[in-house]
Amino acid sequence: MRVLVVDDERLARKELINLLNQNDNVEVLGEATNVEDAKEKIEELQPEVLFLDIQMPEKTGFDLLEELDVVPLVVFITAYDEFALQAFQVNALDYLLKPIEPERLTDTLKKLEKKLEELKKEEESVAKSPKSKLSLSDQVFVKDGDKCWFVKLSDVRLFESDGNYIKVYFETNKPMIHKSLNALDERLDEKAFFRASRKHIINLSWVESIEPWFNGGLVVTLKGGERIEVSRRQAARFKDLMSL
């Protein structure tokens, strides 16, 4: 597994890297000292796993995840119990308390191996999209107040523009992220997501029913119950995509 270690404490980085290097199935690609450094290295090195410190100067580990378009698997590392608890509630793959115990790290690496194998099978079963596009098997990080989620795009049924924010619909949650719908639309795989209107992007796999609407438009009902109007301009393209 391809790993990047992100921590502002040099000794903590070195300790973790030494432990990771004792495992033949781990390739440590590099280390980063802060959020900006981490963003550059993630883009350059494309790690599968981040070992990420939560509490860092200026910007936190959560801030880093918010700024990434697509998020690798994450293991939080922290010296603070309250942050470890928050990380666990955030549904990260795992968290490690400093100083890191070798046995605990071994358990984490086993979890990572299992998860990476599952993701590999999912990717093989899904048609490959261009590398720059976000596919259904990718996950994003969503933070709204004190609540945080790692969300697979296959679980997101709807993106809705709300001013300078986007409302993300998954399960019973509707958190807001500070991004534009146009920017998001450019990153999403068009085979999986459809720009229904200026305000909405829908996940095609969540479409439950389609009805004719005024002036040649359509109304799409999603499995979550939301009814979304598809503009007349987009209706023809939508019919082609859905093979109507």
Side-chain angles (χ1 to χ4, degrees):
M1 64 188 77
R2 296 158 52 81
V3 168
L4 180 69
V5 175
V6 184
D7 195 324
D8 63 298
E9 299 176 19
R10 188 181 68 84
L11 290 178
R13 289 197 310 275
K14 296 302 180 188
E15 178 191 10
L16 176 55
I17 289 170
N18 286 337
L19 289 172
L20 289 169
N21 281 335
Q22 294 173 28
N23 295 269
D24 293 336
N25 63 334
V26 176
E27 179 188 2
V28 180
L29 301 175
E31 54 190 286
T33 60
N34 56 48
V35 167
E36 297 307 318
D37 186 21
K39 283 166 62 180
E40 289 180 11
K41 292 209 165 73
I42 289 168
E43 185 174 345
E44 175 191 351
L45 302 171
Q46 299 290 309
E48 296 171 303
V49 180
L50 293 183
F51 280 84
L52 177 61
D53 189 18
I54 297 176
Q55 197 74 340
M56 294 183 286
E58 296 181 11
K59 289 184 177 181
T60 68
F62 291 140
D63 292 328
L64 168 64
L65 297 176
E66 277 191 284
E67 294 180 24
L68 297 177
D69 283 330
V70 60
V71 178
L73 294 180
V74 174
V75 175
F76 283 118
I77 47 179
T78 178
Y80 303 102
D81 284 330
E82 66 268 26
F83 283 114
L85 179 61
Q86 184 183 8
F88 185 70
Q89 291 173 336
V90 144
N91 75 324
L93 188 121
D94 207 350
Y95 68 94
L96 297 170
L97 290 176
K98 298 178 183 179
I100 295 170
E101 300 174 359
E103 297 82 5
R104 184 71 180 82
L105 178 60
T106 298
D107 290 341
T108 296
L109 292 175
K110 287 178 182 175
K111 285 185 185 179
L112 286 165
E113 279 184 4
K114 184 178 178 182
K115 188 65 177 177
L116 286 168
E117 188 63 32
E118 289 174 6
L119 291 173
K120 184 179 177 182
K121 288 178 181 175
E122 284 181 20
E123 288 175 2
E124 288 172 353
S125 65
V126 175
K128 296 289 184 183
S129 59
K131 190 175 180 183
S132 61
K133 298 286 187 177
L134 301 179
S135 70
L136 292 174
S137 61
D138 286 321
Q139 70 171 0
V140 293
F141 180 78
V142 180
K143 186 173 184 294
D144 190 4
D146 293 331
K147 293 184 178 181
C148 310
W149 301 266
F150 290 91
V151 188
K152 283 186 65 176
L153 283 174
S154 59
D155 294 328
V156 177
R157 60 186 181 272
L158 176 66
F159 294 100
E160 181 178 52
S161 176
D162 189 345
N164 294 323
Y165 290 81
I166 298 173
K167 194 179 292 183
V168 184
Y169 287 70
F170 61 97
E171 297 175 352
T172 58
N173 305 298
K174 301 174 187 175
M176 309 277 277
I177 58 175
H178 191 264
K179 286 186 177 172
S180 78
L181 205 64
N182 287 339
L184 179 65
D185 189 28
E186 291 177 3
R187 294 300 323 280
L188 293 171
D189 179 9
E190 59 273 8
K191 294 187 182 72
F193 291 90
F194 180 75
R195 182 70 177 267
S197 65
R198 286 187 306 151
K199 283 197 66 174
H200 297 108
I201 297 174
I202 58 177
N203 183 333
L204 294 172
S205 63
W206 279 82
V207 172
E208 185 172 69
S209 64
I210 305 163
E211 306 166 39
W213 203 240
F214 299 112
N215 300 321
L218 298 169
V219 168
V220 173
T221 302
L222 302 180
K223 293 170 187 174
E226 296 84 9
R227 287 170 59 83
I228 307 299
E229 289 187 34
V230 178
S231 65
R232 182 178 63 177
R233 189 168 61 87
Q234 291 290 75
R237 182 166 166 261
F238 182 76
K239 288 176 182 177
D240 287 341
L241 281 171
M242 300 302 289
S243 300
L244 289 176

